[in-house]
Amino acid sequence: MEFGTVFIEMSAMLLFAVAVGAAGLLLKQPLIVSFLAAGVLAGPAVLGLVESTEQVHLLAEFGVALLLFVVGLKLDLGLIRSIGKVALVTGLGQVLFTSVIGFFLCLGMGYSAVASLYIAVALTFSSTIIIVKLLSDKREIDALHGRVALGFLIVQDVVVVLVMVVLSSMDVGATGEGDSLVLGVAFMVLKGALLIGALGVFIRWLAEPLMRRLARSTELIVLFAVAWAVAVASVGDWMGFSKEMGAFLAGVSLATTQYREVVAARLVSLRDFLLLFFFLDMGSRMDLAAIGDQILPAIGLSLFVLIGNPLIVMVIMGVMGYRKRTGFLAGLTVAQISEFSLIFAALGLSLGHITGADAGLVTLVGLITIGLSTYMILYSYPLYGALEPFLGIFERRKPFRELAMEDEAVPKDQFDAVVFGLGRFGSNIARGLRQQGWNVLGVDFDPEAVLHQQRQGHPTVFGDVGDPEFVKSLPLTKAQWVVAAIPVRGTDTSGADPLLAFVRTLTEEGYEGRVAVTAQHPSEAAVFKEAGADLVLLPFADAAHYAVGKMTGVPARSPEHVPLHSA
């Protein structure tokens, strides 16, 4: 379709994306799926709206760089060290087992040994970009399963870079231009060490002073952050690594400064806008004409990725001492293949190792798994609630790794109140109760939040509101209140919602104190009250009523739809 100028073409694509996104909202579909669909429809195979592919791809790369930069910006180096072993073992283990099983599956489907190897390896790589976006939207990137998942996704990215380096070196050797595969890999490792070393020097001596000077201008510090993310991403790409890895390391290099939260908050909107072009670019590059004859094999391999990959991760994490819930939630993040899988297949095609049909198969598996896994992650809690009775085989009798995190700090003292969730709302509740002289125990599933509270001298433990066994282990005999100030994920009368399960666990265990939970919508209050909650808090509605009272001088009244006093 002819537009005349790139500006008009971009305008048309944005309007088209808005229309598809709006239709997706009406159908209650995730925006990621809507944007992928918009990319496929806008691509050459359907409407042909995307003609300026280079410009769209460039904007997509900027969006990816900012996404990984913000992720790196929020990481704590101490926590990276603490999950390094788990991430390494899980990441490498999943790549190994998926490759081996996938190889024999492809052989059984009639593909050649070389094609089977390529397809199997492509099935091992999960999309860091999409997973980080989904976990960030659900505010789970800082949860234990989110941090572990991010760790082994980064391990996967390193593996795919090394594999592609090896393949490229093999091709060079075949043409007589190079004769040492080992030397090529060693050179790549040396370059990686130099890059990390240079960033280490920057972190140690330059990051904080530089950011302090730039912080005099908010606009300038944000501009520097974008420039730094793109620059280090470019250096990573130039050195033979991925842009994504470079952008992530750029974020980590600024994560130790006191300005990281300000920078991250101001980049979110720009990041989300540019990521739209990533999904448009990804969808428009899917060649639908080449995948028509691969539907049945693609369905079989997609089921392996959607079911087999999470099972592999659950087995590994269970052996390493994690609970079935943590393993399940982390395992869902590998239930799709990534853009790297498509690039890997394209490399094999360019080297003449596989055919266009083989590459088309990988593309179709990507389209299926990305779409379906998005729903699996978005609805992970109801899905876990439905499957939980069957997941016991993936948990050791004593999940020692998580038990150690809990037992190290769980006090034996009794408390006046226990507050689950130490975000802005929960931490303020805990602070207010302490100011009233109450002895308060804080609980959070974010290791960083736990460490922050412990450093301030507040009794705080690592734990999950959705884990009944942990809730039962807490000292609640003398607690007057138990408060669950966690983000609400939607109510479910089947009990799959972690808040409902939490309230019912307290009731079943005979807890005699009062229970308070947070809700986002008034309609949820009756469900929580029926389950046994004494108090349902609506943070935004309560704050609005309080603000009106302060502004008018008239004492604020409780919202009529939710009782703000115990029953």
Side-chain angles (χ1 to χ4, degrees):
M1 184 178 295
E2 294 291 337
F3 287 100
T5 67
V6 176
F7 186 84
I8 296 176
E9 179 184 339
M10 292 289 184
S11 302
M13 279 192 289
L14 289 174
L15 289 173
F16 181 71
V18 170
V20 176
L25 287 179
L26 289 176
L27 297 173
K28 297 183 179 181
Q29 304 303 305
L31 274 180
I32 286 181
V33 174
S34 297
F35 289 157
L36 271 174
V40 173
L41 294 174
V46 186
L47 298 178
L49 296 179
V50 182
E51 295 180 345
S52 304
T53 54
E54 292 184 4
Q55 290 86 342
V56 173
H57 185 63
L58 177 61
L59 291 172
E61 290 184 321
F62 271 97
V64 170
L66 285 184
L67 174 67
L68 273 299
F69 174 76
V70 171
V71 171
L73 199 63
K74 292 184 176 182
L75 279 188
D76 182 272
L77 293 178
L79 288 170
I80 293 176
R81 287 191 292 268
S82 69
I83 65 171
K85 178 181 178 181
V86 176
L88 185 63
V89 172
T90 307
L92 293 179
Q94 184 264 322
V95 168
L96 176 63
F97 285 111
T98 300
S99 299
V100 172
I101 298 172
F103 176 75
F104 287 106
L105 280 177
C106 292
L107 283 180
M109 292 180 179
Y111 291 93
S112 67
V114 174
S116 296
L117 181 61
Y118 264 91
I119 295 169
V121 173
L123 299 181
T124 66
F125 306 128
S126 305
S127 179
T128 304
I129 300 162
I130 293 176
I131 297 307
V132 168
K133 173 63 175 170
L134 288 169
L135 293 179
S136 297
D137 289 346
K138 293 184 69 180
R139 298 181 181 179
E140 293 178 8
I141 198 71
D142 291 323
L144 178 61
H145 66 273
R147 291 180 180 275
V148 172
L150 179 61
F152 62 64
L153 288 172
I154 292 172
V155 170
Q156 285 184 1
D157 289 347
V158 173
V159 170
V160 70
V161 169
L162 292 177
V163 170
M164 293 177 73
V165 168
V166 169
L167 287 174
S168 299
S169 300
M170 291 173 61
D171 184 54
V172 169
T175 60
E177 298 177 10
D179 56 359
S180 178
L181 175 61
V182 175
L183 187 61
V185 174
F187 186 56
M188 181 63 67
V189 172
L190 176 61
K191 289 192 292 184
L194 289 174
L195 176 61
I196 294 175
L199 289 176
V201 172
F202 175 80
I203 293 172
R204 177 65 179 84
W205 285 288
L206 298 176
E208 186 69 32
L210 178 61
M211 294 292 281
R212 189 184 305 116
R213 287 182 175 273
L214 294 175
R216 298 172 184 173
S217 169
T218 304
E219 292 83 0
L220 188 58
I221 197 173
V222 172
L223 178 60
F224 167 74
V226 174
W228 182 245
V230 175
V232 180
S234 300
V235 170
D237 184 52
W238 175 70
M239 296 182 74
F241 304 105
S242 67
K243 299 181 184 72
E244 292 81 5
M245 189 180 302
F248 174 78
L249 291 175
V252 172
S253 70
L254 298 181
T256 57
T257 69
Q258 60 181 309
Y259 306 99
R260 66 174 188 171
E261 294 296 338
V262 175
V263 173
R266 288 184 172 269
L267 288 180
V268 168
S269 297
L270 179 60
R271 175 203 68 185
D272 290 344
F273 171 71
L274 291 175
L275 276 177
L276 165 63
F277 291 96
F278 166 76
F279 294 112
L280 288 173
D281 181 58
M282 190 179 201
S284 65
R285 288 174 181 267
M286 292 182 177
D287 186 4
L288 301 182
I291 60 180
D293 297 331
Q294 306 287 344
I295 293 179
L296 289 180
I299 291 175
L301 293 177
S302 296
L303 289 174
F304 169 61
V305 172
L306 291 166
I307 300 173
N309 276 0
L311 290 177
I312 291 171
V313 169
M314 289 183 65
V315 169
I316 296 173
M317 292 190 65
V319 170
M320 295 192 69
Y322 285 93
R323 287 195 172 96
K324 58 186 179 183
R325 183 175 183 274
T326 305
F328 178 83
L329 296 177
L332 290 183
T333 64
V334 296
Q336 87 291 121
I337 66 173
S338 76
E339 64 285 351
F340 277 134
S341 302
L342 308 184
I343 296 171
F344 178 73
L347 175 62
L349 181 62
S350 66
L351 295 177
H353 295 167
I354 61 175
T355 66
D358 300 329
L361 173 63
V362 174
T363 301
L364 185 54
V365 171
L367 186 61
I368 295 172
T369 57
I370 289 173
L372 293 180
S373 67
T374 298
Y375 293 100
M376 292 167 64
I377 295 172
L378 289 176
Y379 298 100
S380 57
Y381 293 98
L383 188 59
Y384 174 76
L387 297 177
E388 190 269 339
F390 310 102
L391 301 179
I393 58 174
F394 299 104
E395 181 178 286
R396 300 179 70 155
R397 181 172 298 177
K398 289 187 177 181
F400 62 89
R401 195 173 296 271
E402 286 192 49
L403 287 175
M405 298 176 71
E406 296 165 1
D407 293 342
E408 283 178 2
V410 173
K412 303 305 179 185
D413 303 332
Q414 293 297 323
F415 295 87
D416 300 310
V418 178
V419 178
F420 284 80
L422 299 174
R424 286 176 293 182
F425 188 59
S427 61
N428 277 295
I429 290 176
R431 184 183 303 112
L433 292 175
R434 291 190 183 105
Q435 290 173 351
Q436 297 296 323
W438 288 37
N439 190 17
V440 179
L441 173 66
V443 183
D444 203 287
F445 198 50
D446 177 0
E448 187 173 1
V450 172
L451 288 175
H452 177 71
Q453 293 291 324
Q454 289 176 345
R455 288 167 184 160
Q456 293 183 341
H458 303 314
T460 311
V461 298
F462 170 85
D464 182 11
V465 72
D467 181 3
E469 296 303 319
F470 171 72
V471 174
K472 296 174 186 177
S473 71
L474 288 173
L476 301 177
T477 305
K478 297 183 179 180
Q480 300 178 45
W481 281 95
V482 174
V483 182
I486 65 172
V488 180
R489 302 177 180 92
T491 55
D492 184 345
T493 54
S494 69
D497 182 273
L499 275 183
L500 284 176
F502 166 75
V503 174
R504 288 167 178 160
T505 297
L506 292 174
T507 302
E508 292 167 0
E509 289 300 305
Y511 170 64
E512 297 179 355
R514 297 175 176 178
V515 180
V517 298
T518 54
Q520 290 180 329
H521 304 289
S523 59
E524 298 170 350
V527 179
F528 286 123
K529 295 286 287 184
E530 183 180 349
D534 300 282
L535 175 63
V536 180
L537 300 170
L538 292 172
F540 296 108
D542 297 342
H545 281 265
Y546 178 78
V548 170
K550 295 286 285 185
M551 294 168 64
T552 62
V554 179
R557 293 186 302 171
S558 302
E560 296 179 358
H561 43 259
V562 181
L564 293 182
H565 301 286
S566 59

